[in-house]
């Protein structure tokens, strides 16, 4: 995938955790980064699926993983995986951040709450 208007390599990530989960006191399993604006949202396995909600609300169709060691892109329009350019650092959450996180907000029955 070459650079497109849907990718802004200079946009920094919005933080090191899901923006909405942090705001609302929630928790996440894995993190995804919007390639257009840097919004960090939780994955579709997470209870609140904020990355997909962000894509729907903004029309930003491309996400990339915000997990250490993962560098794929996903396009919501055709539901396909792609390779893409490197984005502004950091390229992932901190390597020592567990999944799920943050640990002080993850319920004991978290496995039952995944999608």
């Amino acid at each position: 995938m070459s650079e497109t208007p849907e990718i802004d390599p200079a946009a920094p990530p919005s933080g090191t955790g899901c923006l909405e989960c942090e705001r609302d006191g929630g928790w996440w399993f894995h993190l995804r980064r919007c390639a257009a604006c840097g919004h960090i949202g939780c994955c579709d396995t997470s209870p609140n699926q904020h990355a997909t909600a962000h894509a729907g609300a903004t029309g930003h169709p491309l996400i990339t993983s915000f997990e250490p060691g993962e560098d794929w892109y996903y396009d919501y329009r055709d539901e396909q995986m792609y390779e893409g350019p490197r984005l502004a650092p950091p390229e992932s959450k901190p390597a020592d951040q567990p999944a799920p996180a943050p640990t002080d907000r993850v319920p004991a029955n978290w496995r039952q709450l995944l999608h």
Side-chain angles (χ1 to χ4, degrees):
M1 174 181 291
S2 61
E3 286 189 35
T4 70
E6 292 92 7
I7 299 175
D8 181 355
S14 62
T16 59
C18 175
L19 190 64
E20 290 82 6
C21 287
E22 291 284 23
R23 179 193 67 208
D24 301 337
W27 60 277
W28 57 85
F29 188 55
H30 290 130
L31 296 172
R32 306 297 179 237
R33 178 179 180 172
C34 176
C37 71
H39 173 273
I40 302 299
C42 53
C43 70
D44 283 353
T45 304
S46 300
N48 293 302
Q49 304 173 341
H50 287 124
T52 297
H54 171 78
T58 63
H60 297 166
L62 299 172
I63 59 168
T64 187
S65 177
F66 200 58
E67 296 294 319
E70 296 182 6
D71 62 358
W72 51 262
Y73 279 76
Y74 179 80
D75 191 326
Y76 285 104
R77 295 169 293 193
D78 63 8
E79 300 179 350
Q80 297 294 312
M81 305 289 278
Y82 294 95
E83 292 183 10
R86 294 180 71 115
L87 301 178
E91 294 182 20
S92 71
K93 69 180 188 180
D96 63 351
Q97 185 184 100
T103 53
D104 63 331
R105 296 196 307 248
V106 177
N109 68 335
W110 66 269
R111 286 180 180 84
Q112 296 169 325
L113 303 172
L114 297 178
H115 292 263

